[in-house]
Amino acid sequence: LDDTQREDDVFDQGYGHGSLDKERYEWLVRELDEGQSQGKLMIIAAHIPIGVCPPGALDGWWSRAYVTEAQLLATLHRYPNLILWVAGHRHFNTITPFPSPDSTQPERGFWQVETSSLRDFPQQFRTFEIVANSDQTLSILATNVDPAVREGTPAALSRGYGVAAQQLFQNALPALPTGVSNAELVVPLSPAMQTTLGRWISSRNP
């Protein structure tokens, strides 16, 4: 999902905001509707995270977007098969829960996982594993990975640049000194998905 602000948008304390115009929002809803109707679990990969920056922040949601951040979240909560929003943009390794607004339907909640850039200290990438549990839930295993860096390689030079940039700009990175933000994120399944997943597991293990 391209949720970056358009270059021809009206200036609003910068141009690095999150935003969806009518075309992109309607595309997203069509994709979510289709995935839900087909009984598929869904993940959204986007550049800019949602729900983590205060209104008016330089890296927050654009004030004139077609949909507000609150409206977007309300839309996402309509889809119990949405389990994860993956984002970057802020160069943080963080995890944010978005619990269901209805306590009787916990499956309408989802997780957001942000991952930093390989150009920035501590230069980690992330892996995701999704596994089915025996209690009608899923686990998303979100793991930061430290690349192996050999002395004298371009990767080692890049590591030096990353350390120098952090020393110069003193970014208030979460989870320092290691920069690691690993977690097992548990997702409750809707009754329909419990049935679907149960059938799939049975077909794989006759």
Side-chain angles (χ1 to χ4, degrees):
L1 172 67
D2 179 6
D3 67 340
T4 54
Q5 185 181 7
R6 293 168 53 97
E7 292 182 356
D8 57 356
D9 286 339
V10 176
F11 185 86
D12 179 16
Q13 302 295 318
Y15 286 103
H17 304 291
S19 178
L20 289 178
D21 54 26
K22 184 174 186 292
E23 180 181 5
R24 289 181 289 174
Y25 175 71
E26 290 180 347
W27 175 87
L28 172 63
V29 171
R30 287 195 302 271
E31 291 290 303
L32 291 169
D33 284 341
E34 182 178 352
Q36 189 68 40
S37 66
Q38 294 178 357
K40 294 180 178 179
L41 297 173
M42 296 179 286
I43 296 171
I44 296 174
H47 179 68
I48 296 178
I50 55 175
V52 292
C53 296
L58 290 176
D59 51 358
W61 201 252
W62 188 43
S63 63
R64 303 191 188 189
Y66 176 72
V67 289
T68 66
E69 200 169 39
Q71 289 170 332
L72 175 59
L73 281 168
T75 296
L76 299 176
H77 280 306
R78 297 204 313 253
Y79 298 93
N81 287 8
L82 173 64
I83 61 173
L84 180 64
W85 179 296
V86 179
H89 186 60
R90 298 197 304 162
H91 298 246
F92 289 167
N93 292 328
T94 61
I95 296 171
T96 305
F98 289 97
S100 170
D102 183 353
S103 60
T104 66
Q105 294 181 301
E107 66 272 13
R108 293 188 181 274
F110 63 96
W111 294 92
Q112 176 171 263
V113 178
E114 297 174 67
T115 304
S116 187
S117 169
L118 283 172
R119 77 176 190 183
D120 297 326
F121 181 83
Q123 297 189 301
Q124 295 165 334
F125 64 90
R126 193 185 285 279
T127 63
F128 294 93
E129 298 174 84
I130 300 175
V131 299
N133 300 318
S134 60
D135 61 352
Q136 309 297 340
T137 65
L138 296 176
S139 285
I140 303 170
L141 307 177
T143 307
N144 285 120
V145 179
D146 293 306
V149 176
R150 287 200 308 252
E151 187 175 351
T153 63
L157 180 62
S158 175
R159 175 62 54 84
Y161 288 152
V163 172
Q166 176 63 22
Q167 291 173 335
L168 286 171
F169 297 110
Q170 293 292 307
N171 293 333
L173 297 176
L176 287 178
T178 64
V180 172
S181 180
N182 299 334
E184 178 183 357
L185 311 174
V186 179
V187 180
L189 293 173
S190 68
M193 277 308 300
Q194 291 177 24
T195 301
T196 298
L197 188 61
R199 289 172 179 168
W200 182 84
I201 292 174
S202 297
S203 70
R204 304 284 289 186
N205 299 282

Short mmCIF file of all heavy atoms in Angstrom, two decimals, residues 61 67-75:
data_model
loop_
_atom_site.label_atom_id
_atom_site.label_comp_id
_atom_site.label_asym_id
_atom_site.label_seq_id
_atom_site.Cartn_x
_atom_site.Cartn_y
_atom_site.Cartn_z
N TRP A 61 0.08 11.85 10.05
CA TRP A 61 -0.88 11.76 8.95
C TRP A 61 -1.19 13.15 8.41
O TRP A 61 -1.32 14.11 9.17
CB TRP A 61 -2.16 11.09 9.44
CG TRP A 61 -3.01 10.50 8.36
CD1 TRP A 61 -4.20 10.98 7.91
CD2 TRP A 61 -2.75 9.32 7.60
NE1 TRP A 61 -4.69 10.18 6.91
CE2 TRP A 61 -3.82 9.15 6.71
CE3 TRP A 61 -1.70 8.39 7.59
CZ2 TRP A 61 -3.89 8.09 5.80
CZ3 TRP A 61 -1.76 7.33 6.70
CH2 TRP A 61 -2.85 7.20 5.82
N VAL A 67 -9.00 10.40 3.69
CA VAL A 67 -9.52 9.81 4.92
C VAL A 67 -8.60 10.21 6.08
O VAL A 67 -7.39 10.30 5.91
CB VAL A 67 -9.60 8.27 4.86
CG1 VAL A 67 -10.70 7.83 3.93
CG2 VAL A 67 -8.28 7.66 4.46
N THR A 68 -9.19 10.47 7.23
CA THR A 68 -8.39 10.76 8.40
C THR A 68 -7.78 9.46 8.92
O THR A 68 -8.20 8.35 8.55
CB THR A 68 -9.22 11.40 9.51
OG1 THR A 68 -10.18 10.44 9.98
CG2 THR A 68 -9.96 12.64 9.00
N GLU A 69 -6.80 9.60 9.79
CA GLU A 69 -6.19 8.41 10.39
C GLU A 69 -7.23 7.63 11.19
O GLU A 69 -7.25 6.39 11.17
CB GLU A 69 -5.02 8.84 11.28
CG GLU A 69 -4.05 7.74 11.58
CD GLU A 69 -2.79 8.28 12.23
OE1 GLU A 69 -2.89 9.20 13.08
OE2 GLU A 69 -1.71 7.78 11.90
N ALA A 70 -8.10 8.34 11.90
CA ALA A 70 -9.15 7.67 12.68
C ALA A 70 -10.11 6.91 11.77
O ALA A 70 -10.54 5.80 12.11
CB ALA A 70 -9.91 8.70 13.52
N GLN A 71 -10.45 7.50 10.63
CA GLN A 71 -11.34 6.81 9.69
C GLN A 71 -10.67 5.57 9.11
O GLN A 71 -11.31 4.54 8.93
CB GLN A 71 -11.75 7.77 8.57
CG GLN A 71 -12.70 8.87 9.02
CD GLN A 71 -12.90 9.94 7.96
OE1 GLN A 71 -12.01 10.19 7.12
NE2 GLN A 71 -14.05 10.60 7.99
N LEU A 72 -9.38 5.68 8.82
CA LEU A 72 -8.65 4.53 8.29
C LEU A 72 -8.62 3.40 9.31
O LEU A 72 -8.87 2.23 8.96
CB LEU A 72 -7.24 4.95 7.90
CG LEU A 72 -6.31 3.82 7.45
CD1 LEU A 72 -6.88 3.09 6.24
CD2 LEU A 72 -4.91 4.35 7.17
N LEU A 73 -8.33 3.72 10.56
CA LEU A 73 -8.30 2.68 11.59
C LEU A 73 -9.67 2.03 11.76
O LEU A 73 -9.77 0.81 11.92
CB LEU A 73 -7.85 3.29 12.92
CG LEU A 73 -6.35 3.50 13.07
CD1 LEU A 73 -6.04 4.38 14.29
CD2 LEU A 73 -5.62 2.18 13.19
N ALA A 74 -10.74 2.84 11.70
CA ALA A 74 -12.09 2.28 11.81
C ALA A 74 -12.36 1.32 10.66
O ALA A 74 -12.99 0.26 10.86
CB ALA A 74 -13.11 3.40 11.83
N THR A 75 -11.88 1.65 9.47
CA THR A 75 -12.04 0.76 8.33
C THR A 75 -11.28 -0.55 8.55
O THR A 75 -11.82 -1.65 8.34
CB THR A 75 -11.52 1.43 7.04
OG1 THR A 75 -12.32 2.57 6.75
CG2 THR A 75 -11.57 0.46 5.86
#
